[in-house]
Amino acid sequence: MSGILFVISAPSGTGKTTVARRVQRELGDLDWSVSFTTRKPREGEVDGREYHFVDGETFAAMEADGAFLECAEVFGNRYGTGLSQTKEKLALGHDLLLEIDVQGAAQVRRGPVEAVSVMILPPDFATLEARLTGRGSEAADQRAGRLAQARVEAEEYRHFNYMVVNADLDRAVEEVASIVRAERRRTERCAEAAQAILDGFPDQAG
Ligand code: ADP
Ligand code: 5GP
């Protein structure tokens, strides 16, 4: 039985990392995909944990080899999801969560692996601005660039399977967790379990 691939995207600063990490903790059985990036590690980030940190040459060689399920340039750095890593986890029957940008999500939709996609939106623009400023991880000019992109990215919501508003964090986490739980119970994904139950039933008489 193959695992399910979940993709979470949002305009930068919406809170998708916060929401996705909390969902993973709450459910306890969702694997986290570690992306490759050419970005330099921030303080406290560990190679192989937050990201696989690689140089531009290595990244380009991997891309040429078809090593990525998707890859994109996001705010001046390159990011990509390993194709073989993704397939291996799914083949083991593990459900996998990708937290990627909106361009990457579009590539996954067109790619070879079926995915369930969730767009997270902020309740309004002012909240997005306040969160991005409050996080304090970008300089003011970088922040302006991210905010300028936000509308274009948010418009993409219509191509996703689900849309969740991250106003109250607990509620957003619960809604995303509910999506995961419901997708796991789709009949087409439960055929093996249902058949095992049916196999134990006596044959229909006469
Ligand atoms: P993203 O991954 O979408 O860029 P982050 O997860 O880094 O965003 O969140 C951006 C900032 O907003 C962080 O400082 C985070 O703590 C805060 N944040 C996230 N969700 C909420 C929420 N529902 N209410 C208030 N603050 C939030
Ligand atoms: P950060 O550098 O702040 O960790 O991430 C910047 C942006 O890159 C975020 O929007 C994040 O979701 C996105 N990102 C992280 N990993 C990947 C990836 O593997 N593919 C794509 N397309 N985007 C990614």
Side-chain angles (χ1 to χ4, degrees), residues 16 35 39 42 51 70 72 74 79-81 99-101 104 146:
K16 68 179 171 307
S35 298
R39 169 165 82 58
R42 294 186 187 124
Y51 287 102
E70 60 74 35
V74 189
Y79 296 84
T81 304
E99 188 250 84
I100 60 178
D101 91 304
R146 289 183 183 219

Side-chain angles (χ1 to χ4, degrees), residues 7 102 104-113 115 117 156 159-161:
V7 174
V102 170
Q107 287 177 39
V108 172
R109 260 196 312 276
R110 294 192 295 267
V113 184
S117 58
E156 287 284 305
H159 301 300
F160 286 66
N161 299 119

Side-chain angles (χ1 to χ4, degrees), residues 5 52 67 87 143 153 166 175:
L5 183 64
H52 300 290
K87 284 186 168 170
R143 208 155 57 224
E153 293 180 340
N166 181 21
E175 288 186 356

Side-chain angles (χ1 to χ4, degrees), residues 1 31 54 64 66 69 77 80 83 94 113 117 137 139 141 145 147 154 161 167-168 178-179 188-189 193-194 201-202:
M1 241 297 270
D31 276 11
V54 296
L69 169 65
N77 294 301
L83 179 60
H94 297 184
V113 184
S117 58
S137 55
D141 59 329
L147 287 169
N161 299 119
D168 175 69
S178 302
I179 291 166
E188 64 266 30
R189 296 202 176 100
F201 282 29

